[in-house]
Amino acid sequence: MKFIKKAMKWKPPAPVQGEGKENMIQTEPLKENLQENINKIKTTLGHSEDIIVREMKLGSEQTINIALFYTDGLSDTQSVQEFIIEPLMLNIRGTEWERKIAAGHNSYELLQEFILSVGDIQPITDYDELFTALLSGNTIFLLEGCSKGFSIGLTAWEDRGVTEPSAQTVIRGPREGFSETLRTNTALIRRKIKDQHLWLENKKIGRRTKTNVSIMYIKGVANDKIVQEVHARLDRIDIDGILESGNIEELIEDEVYSPWPTVYNTERPDVVAASLLEGRIAILVDGTPFVLLVPALFIQYFQAAEDYYHRSDFGLIRMLRYLCFFIALMAPSLYIAITTYHQEMLPTPLLISLAAQREGVPFPAFIEALMMEVAFEILREAGVRMPRAVGQAISIVGALVIGQAAVEAGIVSAAMVIVVSITAIANFVLPSFNIAIAVRMLRFILMGLAAAFGLFGILVGLVAMLLHLSSLRSFGVPYMSPFAPFILSEQKDGIFRAPIWKWSSRPRYITKGNSVKANTPPPSKPKTRNSN
């Protein structure tokens, strides 16, 4: 925790005199001389070929000098032509506005109100604002004799569009997922929550990248203290660049060295909308389809979006996920402990069968399990990194071939292959990839404790893990709530999933004040008709 606080408070060292000055961002005000501004912009940007500079003379007598700057590939060049260049070249000639602009009477106000037919126009007064707007895709407008300019929002670039999420798929439910464009993502959320209290606040983070980061929450539902804490942690970030929401996650999370994630991420707009209605805060980062949600609770990583679109199954599928969580965490360690120290716990026929399988295996159970787990982790990573067409085939065929060959060679027993396979399959059942990584890491620790101390070592490891989980907090909210502390009224969406009409309140530790979520009465049975 101390390390991350130092990282967020870190300030760049002062540049050595005569070195690095060309890379420093200029914050000096704009000049009144148009040619000086043009030369300054070209020099600072290294005469880059994708920076388009258009110098023009306006009016009947061509006495009004202007300059337009935009970035090729980030700006909509057709809109620049239709909504800026054509109105300036045609609509201003022979009018009273031309005489006033040529005389310098409120030139920018006249251009903004009567000539430029664009909605998003922001004034700029210094080079820092100019470069940020220009490199963000906006069009810059400068006028001779004025020390300020316009930033005109005509951005347009190629994006991936709205597609189905690849990591969080559902059988029933919305099929739309976030893209890498920030405004597309905010629009997807506003399509689902048409509330005037859904607030959006923007920040720019990164000294070099100046990445757009948006904070979305429902005013009156979200806890104001948590909102302030989110702003404070984001404002403390001082770093060269933010390229993905994972960079933000590492810099604002509560516990750095814990394997358990305390910031939730998703690429589904419906999940974000549901979380906002519960009082959580969404952090959207430009350039990534993954949105961060805070505060995050342990139970949240076992809830899938599909749970709320099917009829209530009383949490049977969710209980299956909890069972798979313990299988993925403890199956190899239990096998090691029982076969090494506690053989009396096994039925005699099973014990004889396992002894016969392990008769030709030269390694103890721990080394046997460790080899198989490492081999499977290698196959898993190979399947992820390989081209999609062959990655799945390599992972499946590799597991079958290596497992069968290892058993026939007498390196591992057939029972160990079964245990490792069940563990791997159970790990895939977990809805969140973050919690699955934590389980994969802790599995090896429990295997070591089981090899050294048997079931007693596993018990000590589980108690230490439970104590650590109980001590975690996500933006001030207990990580294990509503289990620790136990809140009876919030168990309706815990291990069990009650019908929707019973969800009358929001989570107590997340929201403050507006806790009523629904007043829907239970469905009533239709009255039976008399046979008369």
Side-chain angles (χ1 to χ4, degrees):
M1 193 64 185
K2 294 181 179 179
F3 172 79
I4 200 66
K5 288 182 177 179
K6 291 181 180 179
M8 289 191 289
K9 294 180 179 179
W10 177 83
K11 299 296 182 182
V16 180
Q17 186 175 5
E19 294 182 5
K21 290 186 178 181
E22 68 277 5
N23 295 326
M24 295 177 62
I25 299 175
Q26 303 295 327
T27 57
E28 60 185 284
L30 296 175
K31 306 292 191 301
E32 292 187 0
N33 189 296
L34 179 61
Q35 197 59 45
E36 288 186 20
N37 291 328
I38 294 174
N39 294 336
K40 184 72 173 180
I41 294 171
K42 288 182 177 181
T43 304
T44 305
L45 296 176
H47 298 273
S48 300
E49 295 292 335
D50 59 340
I51 305 299
I52 308 301
V53 181
R54 176 70 184 275
E55 300 182 53
M56 295 184 292
K57 295 182 180 294
L58 306 182
S60 303
E61 301 180 1
Q62 297 185 349
T63 57
I64 305 172
N65 297 325
I66 69 166
L68 295 176
F69 305 84
Y70 59 91
T71 306
D72 189 16
L74 297 181
S75 300
D76 189 348
T77 56
Q78 184 176 357
S79 297
V80 172
Q81 177 69 27
E82 293 180 1
F83 300 114
I84 300 180
I85 297 179
E86 288 185 5
L88 289 174
M89 299 292 289
L90 302 178
N91 297 351
I92 200 174
R93 291 186 177 181
T95 62
E96 184 181 355
W97 303 327
E98 177 187 350
R99 294 189 294 272
K100 290 183 178 181
I101 293 173
H105 297 300
N106 299 325
S107 302
Y108 274 93
E109 288 75 8
L110 291 172
L111 287 168
Q112 182 177 359
E113 296 177 8
F114 300 106
I115 304 300
L116 298 175
S117 56
V118 182
D120 184 11
I121 299 179
Q122 301 294 333
I124 53 175
T125 57
D126 58 51
Y127 287 110
D128 189 12
E129 295 176 346
L130 186 148
F131 290 129
T132 301
L134 177 61
L135 298 175
S136 297
N138 294 342
T139 301
I140 305 300
F141 176 91
L142 297 180
L143 179 65
E144 177 67 43
C146 294
S147 59
K148 65 177 181 179
F150 284 147
S151 171
I152 305 172
L154 293 176
T155 59
W157 50 76
E158 296 295 329
D159 58 3
R160 184 167 54 93
V162 179
T163 58
E164 183 177 356
S166 58
Q168 299 173 337
T169 57
V170 295
I171 297 176
R172 178 178 179 177
R175 302 303 176 95
E176 57 187 9
F178 290 121
S179 68
E180 286 76 13
T181 306
L182 180 62
R183 279 295 158 258
T184 301
N185 297 341
T186 56
L188 289 173
I189 298 175
R190 288 203 179 272
R191 276 187 58 194
K192 297 184 177 297
I193 304 179
K194 303 174 183 67
D195 188 0
Q196 67 271 24
H197 297 106
L198 178 59
W199 288 11
L200 174 66
E201 300 173 359
N202 295 323
K203 295 180 181 292
K204 289 187 181 294
I205 301 180
R207 293 192 300 267
R208 301 292 179 183
T209 60
K210 291 182 172 57
T211 306
N212 291 318
V213 177
S214 295
I215 303 171
M216 293 190 78
Y217 62 94
I218 300 178
K219 183 66 175 178
V221 175
N223 192 332
D224 292 335
K225 293 184 179 179
I226 299 180
V227 174
Q228 295 173 4
E229 181 65 21
V230 171
H231 278 284
R233 296 192 187 187
L234 290 176
D235 291 338
R236 286 200 300 263
I237 297 177
D238 186 7
I239 194 170
D240 270 352
I242 297 295
L243 302 178
E244 214 273 338
S245 58
N247 303 142
I248 296 284
E249 180 179 353
E250 287 193 49
L251 294 172
I252 65 173
E253 61 185 354
D254 289 68
E255 197 67 36
V256 179
Y257 298 107
S258 173
W260 304 102
T262 54
V263 178
Y264 190 81
N265 68 80
T266 180
E267 54 179 340
R268 296 187 60 87
D270 56 329
V271 173
V272 174
S275 300
L276 291 174
L277 293 173
E278 288 187 341
R280 290 185 171 87
I281 298 134
I283 303 174
L284 298 89
V285 181
D286 191 20
T288 175
F290 288 92
V291 174
L292 306 180
L293 291 171
V294 294
L297 305 181
F298 179 77
I299 189 176
Q300 191 175 355
Y301 293 92
F302 294 88
Q303 297 171 345
E306 203 170 22
D307 294 348
Y308 306 97
Y309 302 141
H310 290 289
R311 290 185 64 254
S312 175
D313 59 355
F314 305 103
L316 295 177
I317 302 300
R318 191 175 298 174
M319 286 190 288
L320 179 63
R321 296 192 194 111
Y322 283 107
L323 176 62
C324 291
F325 168 78
F326 286 105
I327 291 176
L329 182 67
M330 300 172 54
S333 56
L334 287 175
Y335 178 84
I336 293 171
I338 292 175
T339 56
T340 305
Y341 296 101
H342 311 283
Q343 296 92 343
E344 67 278 1
M345 296 180 63
L346 298 175
T348 303
L350 178 60
L351 179 61
I352 295 174
S353 175
L354 292 177
Q357 293 178 24
R358 291 186 47 80
E359 184 177 3
V361 177
F363 304 107
F366 172 68
I367 301 300
E368 187 182 358
L370 187 63
M371 288 192 303
M372 288 300 299
E373 286 289 344
V374 171
F376 189 83
E377 292 296 333
I378 293 174
L379 288 172
R380 188 206 308 257
E381 281 299 307
V384 172
R385 309 303 167 196
M386 289 291 291
R388 187 167 299 180
V390 297
Q392 187 176 5
I394 287 179
S395 60
I396 295 175
V397 174
L400 292 175
V401 171
I402 292 178
Q404 183 67 25
V407 173
E408 292 181 357
I411 300 177
V412 296
S413 62
M416 180 59 71
V417 175
I418 295 174
V419 170
V420 172
S421 301
I422 293 176
T423 302
I425 294 172
N427 205 9
F428 288 127
V429 175
L430 301 179
S432 175
F433 184 70
N434 286 6
I435 204 78
I437 292 178
V439 171
R440 289 161 61 183
M441 294 170 57
L442 294 174
R443 184 191 306 151
F444 289 96
I445 297 177
L446 291 179
M447 287 168 53
L449 291 174
F453 306 104
L455 291 178
F456 177 75
I458 297 177
L459 181 62
V460 170
L462 291 178
V463 170
M465 184 185 72
L466 185 60
L467 291 175
H468 174 67
L469 284 171
S470 301
S471 67
L472 290 178
R473 287 180 175 267
S474 177
F475 285 78
V477 178
Y479 190 60
M480 292 298 294
S481 63
F483 302 132
F486 184 79
I487 305 172
L488 181 61
S489 60
E490 296 183 13
Q491 301 303 318
K492 299 172 184 177
D493 194 22
I495 297 178
F496 301 97
R497 189 275 211 200
I500 293 180
W501 52 268
K502 283 195 173 184
W503 303 349
S504 58
S505 61
R506 296 184 176 90
R508 182 187 305 177
Y509 279 94
I510 296 177
T511 184
K512 294 293 182 182
N514 189 356
S515 60
V516 178
K517 187 175 183 181
N519 290 317
T520 304
S524 59
K525 296 181 180 179
K527 296 181 180 180
T528 58
R529 180 181 296 180
N530 294 331
S531 59
N532 296 333

